[in-house]
Amino acid sequence: MHASGPVDPSQSKLFAPLVLGNLSLSHRIVLAPLTRNRASSSEAHKNTWVPNELNTLYYYQRATPGGLLISEATPISRRASGSLGVPGIYTLEQCQGWASITKAVHDKQGFIFCQLWHQGRAAHSRLTGLEPWSSSAVPIQTLHRAKGYDPAPFDTPHSMTYDEIQEVHQEYITAARNAIASGFDGVEVHACNGYLPDQFHHSNINVRMDEYSGSPEARCRFTIELAQKLCDAIGSDKVGVRLAPFGLYNETRGDDRRHQWTYLCSALSKLEVAYVHLIEPRFDEWRSEGEKLELLHRSDTKEEVSLRPYREAIRSPTKCIVAGGYHPGNCWEGVEKGEHDAVAFGRWFVSNPDLVERLRTGKPLYRYDRSLFYGPFDNNEIGYTVHLSREFADETDIGRAQMV
Ligand SMILES: Cc1cc2nc3c(=O)[nH]c(=O)nc-3n(C[C@H](O)[C@H](O)[C@H](O)COP(=O)(O)O)c2cc1C
């Protein structure tokens, strides 16, 4: 697949500098957060994974001078974590592992934010040894799947009390402080894809009877209070938040979408967080772009299927990063028109560690192999830091779902 963008891509605004929080980026191509399940199992702490040298090489390969990387989703506690091989940021050895990664990225004059992750009801006691917590005692209906385990029903989560909500907020703050102490340039709250903050956003999951539920504004309260506390703890210029107004993953539904997510974007922007990171409506984990868009257009709400209202709710100095289905044929225009400030790439960055240079020079992209996205594998290098099959991608690679 060849870049079909501007005649000289290097002159595009995608390669113009951008001030984001306290960082001066030299271009606007961002590594999207990507769970790759290739960290090492801790010998000291059960059900806990630690960043290793291979992970350091992976991030080093993708770092560029003045470029922003967002880390894979990083659990803030053992209860928050429900996936094999995913490195957290709540033990000393994890922080030491991350410190090697942030140093490697900084050695290349790059920047890196840590995506803070709490899986809530999507975690499973058979992997954490702990009961999952969520906004309400509403379980995921499909089966939990993990390598080496038979599919099993999800646990019915414990509905967090007011005090437990404050406790979890405190865990986020500790994790954010750990991230800054480990050399990260900031943190991104993973507030989409049906994980804990998103379990407050959606009324089919959040059926609480208190101030964290009952209206679109109340369902945003968990995320806004969390963002406020993180801004107070580490500085608003070091806080980003990722949202998916059109997300359906992990059985989220998105009613009152426009009202709720414009309110949320506007509230986060008033806190002057460094950025809000929005996922495009076309992107879906299981459906192709065509299927997802058709589903959204068919829905009863007749809402505009576009990020426009959400982007417009984000005001300076907060920047807007977009992600989901961007490729060399469609990544130039939105930044050029000032619709958003930066573009994050996920899958193309997996198979093209030098993606920034390929986009700058119009070189073709290598195809990715989705069977190698999620480890752990006997050989964790393949499809991660080493790419064996080197076919160029073509138009048929565009628009597919992430998981199939
Ligand atoms: C292998 C893989 C792992 C992912 N892990 C995460 C994650 O940890 N956190 C997150 O917010 N999104 C995650 N995503 C979603 C991506 O960040 C991104 O939004 C999605 O892939 C769409 O962008 P793309 O079309 O450029 O791939 C993941 C996607 C893939 C393919």
Side-chain angles (χ1 to χ4, degrees):
M1 184 175 47
H2 290 263
S4 52
V7 179
D8 180 359
S10 68
Q11 296 305 308
S12 151
K13 210 170 159 194
L14 216 48
F15 291 100
L18 176 71
V19 174
L20 180 137
N22 63 353
L23 304 180
S24 294
L25 305 185
S26 62
H27 63 79
R28 294 148 181 254
I29 297 163
V30 176
L31 171 69
L34 294 170
T35 298
R36 306 301 312 276
N37 308 78
R38 282 158 164 96
S40 303
S41 183
S42 167
E43 287 177 15
H45 304 279
K46 207 167 170 261
N47 302 325
T48 298
W49 287 269
V50 182
N52 56 37
E53 282 178 16
L54 184 65
N55 305 147
T56 305
L57 175 61
Y58 167 81
Y59 285 103
Y60 182 78
Q61 287 177 337
R62 284 155 185 80
T64 51
L68 177 64
L69 309 182
I70 304 171
S71 80
E72 62 209 88
T74 304
I76 61 163
S77 68
R78 191 149 66 88
R79 194 189 300 280
S81 158
S83 305
L84 298 168
V86 172
I89 185 126
Y90 52 91
T91 69
L92 181 61
E93 59 178 344
Q94 289 172 334
C95 293
Q96 287 166 341
W98 280 117
S100 300
I101 293 175
T102 59
K103 179 177 181 310
V105 172
H106 291 153
D107 283 349
K108 270 173 109 175
Q109 282 86 50
F111 302 112
I112 182 164
F113 268 49
C114 180
Q115 192 188 49
L116 300 182
W117 198 20
H118 196 308
Q119 294 200 24
R121 69 176 192 158
H124 202 289
S125 55
R126 63 183 176 164
L127 285 175
T128 62
L130 297 168
E131 174 190 48
W133 286 4
S134 183
S135 58
S136 302
V138 176
I140 294 179
Q141 297 299 314
T142 51
L143 294 177
H144 180 263
R145 290 168 200 280
K147 281 193 180 168
Y149 291 79
D150 290 331
F154 276 90
D155 299 312
T156 297
H158 164 68
S159 173
M160 292 155 72
T161 64
Y162 177 86
D163 286 346
E164 287 163 350
I165 289 177
Q166 312 314 309
E167 187 183 323
V168 168
H169 279 171
Q170 191 54 48
E171 287 175 349
Y172 273 97
I173 292 167
T174 304
R177 290 203 170 112
N178 286 347
I180 299 301
S182 306
F184 280 102
D185 298 291
V187 301
E188 174 179 288
V189 178
H190 193 338
C192 54
N193 300 359
Y195 296 112
L196 185 64
D198 216 22
Q199 291 162 25
F200 280 82
H201 296 157
H202 292 268
S203 64
N204 61 321
I205 304 170
N206 179 354
V207 293
R208 302 173 66 87
M209 302 296 281
D210 63 2
E211 64 267 48
Y212 290 94
S213 189
S215 69
E217 291 80 3
R219 290 196 295 272
C220 295
R221 192 184 185 105
F222 178 93
T223 302
I224 296 169
E225 284 183 358
L226 172 59
Q228 171 77 69
K229 290 178 190 178
L230 289 171
C231 290
D232 292 345
I234 61 168
S236 58
D237 56 352
K238 296 185 193 63
V239 177
V241 180
R242 190 170 216 219
L243 302 174
F246 296 90
L248 301 174
Y249 189 55
N250 278 325
E251 297 168 15
T252 53
R253 196 171 60 195
D255 50 341
D256 270 329
R257 178 180 293 128
R258 171 119 178 220
H259 180 115
Q260 178 161 332
W261 271 266
T262 52
Y263 169 77
L264 187 48
C265 288
S266 159
L268 294 170
S269 188
K270 282 187 192 135
L271 294 177
E272 302 196 350
V273 297
Y275 67 85
V276 176
H277 186 173
L278 297 173
I279 300 180
E280 291 282 353
R282 63 183 166 228
F283 179 73
D284 192 81
E285 280 73 7
W286 294 105
R287 300 171 185 87
S288 68
E289 286 187 13
E291 288 165 335
K292 173 77 180 301
L293 290 174
E294 197 195 322
L295 183 79
L296 291 172
H297 283 296
R298 259 195 287 124
S299 75
D300 293 337
T301 59
K302 301 277 178 282
E303 279 178 359
E304 182 181 350
V305 180
S306 149
L307 289 181
R308 187 193 58 79
Y310 313 100
R311 282 191 323 250
E312 288 178 2
I314 300 168
R315 296 289 159 85
S316 179
T318 298
K319 300 298 189 294
C320 175
I321 302 177
V322 292
Y326 282 95
H327 54 76
N330 69 358
C331 64
W332 315 95
E333 195 181 340
V335 177
E336 211 66 59
K337 287 182 172 166
E339 290 175 352
H340 44 251
D341 300 292
V343 180
F345 291 82
R347 291 163 291 176
W348 293 120
F349 241 130
V350 168
S351 49
N352 298 276
D354 56 348
L355 179 67
V356 175
E357 205 42 39
R358 287 184 176 275
L359 290 173
R360 195 196 308 269
T361 53
K363 281 195 194 141
L365 302 188
Y366 288 114
R367 175 170 282 161
Y368 45 75
D369 178 349
R370 64 190 72 226
S371 71
L372 298 172
F373 280 174
Y374 300 98
F377 298 103
D378 289 341
N379 184 341
N380 272 330
E381 294 175 354
I382 310 297
Y384 188 59
T385 53
V386 173
H387 301 275
L388 295 180
S389 96
R390 281 327 224 166
E391 286 169 35
F392 287 124
D394 59 31
E395 298 305 314
T396 62
D397 294 296
I398 292 176
R400 295 225 191 112
Q402 163 183 317
M403 306 270 202
V404 286

